[in-house]
Amino acid sequence: MNKFQSSQSLSDQLNQPFSYDEYGVNYEGQVYISAQSVVERLNEVLGVLNWELEPLTIDINQDLKSVSILAELRIFDVDRERWVTRRQYGNDTMTIKRDETEPTGQAFEDAKKSALTDALKKCASWIGVASDVYSSRLSAITRKKNEPAYTTVLNHFGLNRQDYDNGVVVLPDSYKGYYEENGWFGIFQSDITELFYNGAGNSTSGFGDSNPSSGNQGNSSFSSSNQSGGNSRKNSPTPFRVMVKSKPVIQQDGTAKFEAMLENSTSVNVIVPREKASFSLTFNPGTVIKLKGWLNETTGFLRVGKANIEVESKAADPQTA
């Protein structure tokens, strides 16, 4: 599904949320978006020839070992045939290796690149790209500040600790409709509220049980009885066994999508996370897959959890058979 509709205004397209995998949490517990995701959004919406970034000044503070860059983002307004500009500072600190007193030349170059990246993201946020990150519409449950809650969320949603090392992003409920339209997995504020206050968590402490038990958790059998339970996004990922019906294709957000059939003969659209997208391209129609994920019966999308997919029996490629 194309994330952007031709009927949407330019501002709406730039402001659209990113997929859940594109958000991250840094060591300080702050939600961030990668520069690559910002560049891809600008390219998709504006076109690669209709925007450019130029560093204007570079300031180096030798005492603080920091780099500050003033950069200008220029966007071409096709309707008015003119360039629109936004300027912002980006900053970074040079890394000094252990047992060293001064940063290396490579550390200086790395700091410049990072500062320019910071400036790009800040400039882009002024026209709506990832503005949710800078306006604090997103929150995070972090390992550093709240280990019990962090562990509870990982266990409850079946998340891999290595993929969410610093924390788990929590999306506003206003994103639910957009995510469901695109068949994306996400963890929303209402999911967290239900987990800690209405479900497995402990509403008194606010931390919850590090090993929560919910209705669908703990059943590891691949049976058709697990494949009819509505939208199970609020629980741990559910096991499914599916047969591939169409060759997977890579979507604009880097995920892969293919049509499949559940054991109860229900047709679904399977969304594979970016980490496993290339692997899924080896699936041919007729291949039987075991996976764990979240099924939205309303939209017919089955979102696969990270590292939760394996081939049971592989069908031959019809072009080489």
Side-chain angles (χ1 to χ4, degrees), residues 9 11 44 51 71 85 89 98 130 155 165 206 236 260 291 312 315 319:
S9 69
S11 176
E44 289 170 357
W51 70 275
T85 63
Y89 282 96
R98 184 176 298 177
N155 292 340
D165 187 46
S236 59
L291 56 86
E312 178 182 289
Q319 296 182 353

Side-chain angles (χ1 to χ4, degrees), residues 10 14 41-48 50-51 75-76 127:
L10 190 64
L14 291 168
R41 175 63 57 85
L42 293 172
N43 287 340
E44 289 170 357
V45 177
L46 303 176
V48 293
N50 291 329
W51 70 275
I75 300 168
F76 188 68
I127 60 171

Side-chain angles (χ1 to χ4, degrees), residues 118-238:
D118 185 39
L120 166 64
K121 293 196 288 185
K122 288 178 179 177
C123 286
S125 73
W126 279 21
I127 60 171
V129 180
S131 60
D132 50 3
V133 172
Y134 292 92
S135 62
S136 301
R137 293 203 298 273
L138 310 177
S139 59
I141 297 176
T142 65
R143 176 171 60 88
K144 188 176 180 180
K145 294 181 179 179
N146 200 339
E147 175 79 31
Y150 164 77
T151 302
T152 296
V153 172
L154 289 183
N155 292 340
H156 190 69
F157 290 97
L159 305 179
N160 189 323
R161 182 177 289 263
Q162 292 181 339
D163 296 325
Y164 300 89
D165 187 46
N166 293 318
V168 178
V169 176
V170 180
L171 304 171
D173 286 344
S174 59
Y175 285 14
K176 276 188 175 182
Y178 185 74
Y179 264 61
E180 289 177 355
E181 288 176 8
N182 286 279
W184 292 349
F185 163 73
I187 297 176
F188 300 91
Q189 185 59 57
S190 58
D191 298 333
I192 299 302
T193 300
E194 178 171 330
L195 172 62
F196 288 114
Y197 292 93
N198 301 326
N202 186 330
S203 61
T204 302
S205 66
F207 290 124
D209 184 351
S210 60
N211 293 295
S213 58
S214 56
N216 291 333
Q217 196 163 356
N219 188 346
S220 59
S221 63
F222 288 88
S223 64
S224 58
S225 63
N226 287 330
Q227 302 176 12
S228 60
N231 184 358
S232 56
R233 181 185 59 218
K234 294 181 180 180
N235 302 310
S236 59
T238 301

